[in-house]
Amino acid sequence: MKIGVIGAGHVGLVTAAGFAHLGHSVIAVDEDQTKIETLLSGKTPFFEPGLADLVCEGTEKKRLTFSTLISDAVTFAEVLFICVGTPQRESGEPDLSAVEKVTSEIARSLSDYRLIVEKSTVPVMTGEWVKYTLKVLSDKEVSFDLAANPEFLREGSAVYDFFHPDRIVVGVETERARKIMEEIYHDIPAPILFTDIKSAELIKHASNSFLALKISYANALSQLCERVGADVNLVVEGVGLDSRIGKAHLFPGIGYGGSCFPKDVAAFLHLARSVGYDFKILKAAAETNEEQKRFSLEKIRKGVWNLKGKTMAVLGLAFKPDTDDIRESPSVEIVKMLLAEGCFIRAYDPAAAQNAKDALPEITICADPYQAAKGASALLVLTDWPQFAKLDFERIKDILLMPVIFDGRNFLPKEHLRSLGFTYLALGRT
Ligand code: UGA
């Protein structure tokens, strides 16, 4: 199948390279000239495990090409996936102008049947606007179909998720579109759920919002555990063992972040408001997420007394491990709160250092965790990179001014740290 993927970001590039690996011929388009030049030179524009090899394989086998022109994709491909960003506006509403722009350009280049697929995360009813735009701007003789195929890729494991999804959701309106989508995903061993377009659009926001809700539930439990002296890690383990609930996304911490959950929850709330529904349960999830960051700051204060003028060693700035992405990172938000309290920050992150340097010029980025810890009043571990649980904590204790550790992800070896004489602070762990 000949496929065009428009937007070569975290979703589009993984999707394009994944389709190429499956044997399709793919052209990936992005208006960012620098990004396309990077890709043409054999490099990937951001860090995602396994992606560089996949892109390399696709280009070497000549199944993956790149362009800055949407018209190239429309000419070449029978199926066009829209994978552009839908950033959040002040009101919480997603900004769909990139989706509109791409749709308009596709419409103007259409000269033969094409299947246009929404993969960008969009609110329900976007499909209606996409169809309207295609109809209004394209030649009346040309036919097209629309499909909605939301993505469920997690950053850090997006390549794995592409080839091993729990399900593939496809909203279609015609048999022709359904057959094309079946052929595209033929070699992926996952159930395909065919729905109407609106339901497919809704499934994406409903899934991300439910996962955010689950995390906030775990975070709320951590506050209860804190107050009664129970261990939230054991509580969520016991709860998650119920197969109806499941363990995934039930880990408490400093709050969820990233380019998806905060934005998608806000967008879903906005949508509910706009159709006259007060989505109370989801509002509470978003509030709990904000609260968890404030609770974290208070917990840190408990360990060191006054914050003003103190140096804090921060490990982890990415919004989660295995990514260099710091968008909506709760670690970054906590760093900002500490800076506002008058702290100095010495930070280390295995992948996000460069991005953090640009976003937080006032902090000192260190080459390793020990350099960050040297002379600091406390060690704050804010992203659960697995290597942080295996540090030489005896060495850390020697170089910190005060033996205080805040574990913002409840994953460090609590007993070991306490046996070394650390004041170990976490969220809902006694
Ligand atoms: C999320 C969804 O998991 C994907 O299915 C979806 O495709 C993607 O958004 C998207 O819409 O594009 P992602 O944002 O990459 O993926 O990351 P997650 O692994 O879901 O984590 C999100 C945030 O929740 C992170 O800050 C993470 O640290 C936090 N989290 C996750 C917790 O605090 N506790 C958990 O138990 C799980």
Side-chain angles (χ1 to χ4, degrees), residues 151-153 155 204 208 249-251 257 260 319-320 409:
E151 57 87 18
F152 301 107
L153 309 174
E155 278 183 38
K204 169 64 195 225
N208 271 7
H249 280 59
L250 204 53
F251 298 102
C260 304
F319 82 98
K320 64 182 231 178
R409 302 287 185 163

Side-chain angles (χ1 to χ4, degrees), residues 277-291:
Y277 177 63
D278 184 11
F279 208 151
K280 294 194 191 76
I281 192 172
L282 195 55
K283 250 196 258 172
E287 278 163 23
T288 301
N289 198 51
E290 289 313 304
E291 246 173 33

Side-chain angles (χ1 to χ4, degrees), residues 8-25:
H10 283 87
V11 172
L13 191 56
V14 174
T15 304
F19 283 150
H21 181 82
L22 292 176
H24 301 301
S25 295

Side-chain angles (χ1 to χ4, degrees), residues 138-156:
S138 66
D139 188 328
K140 299 291 161 284
E141 304 303 309
V142 178
S143 68
F144 65 85
D145 276 318
L146 180 71
N149 173 217
E151 57 87 18
F152 301 107
L153 309 174
R154 289 164 300 173
E155 278 183 38

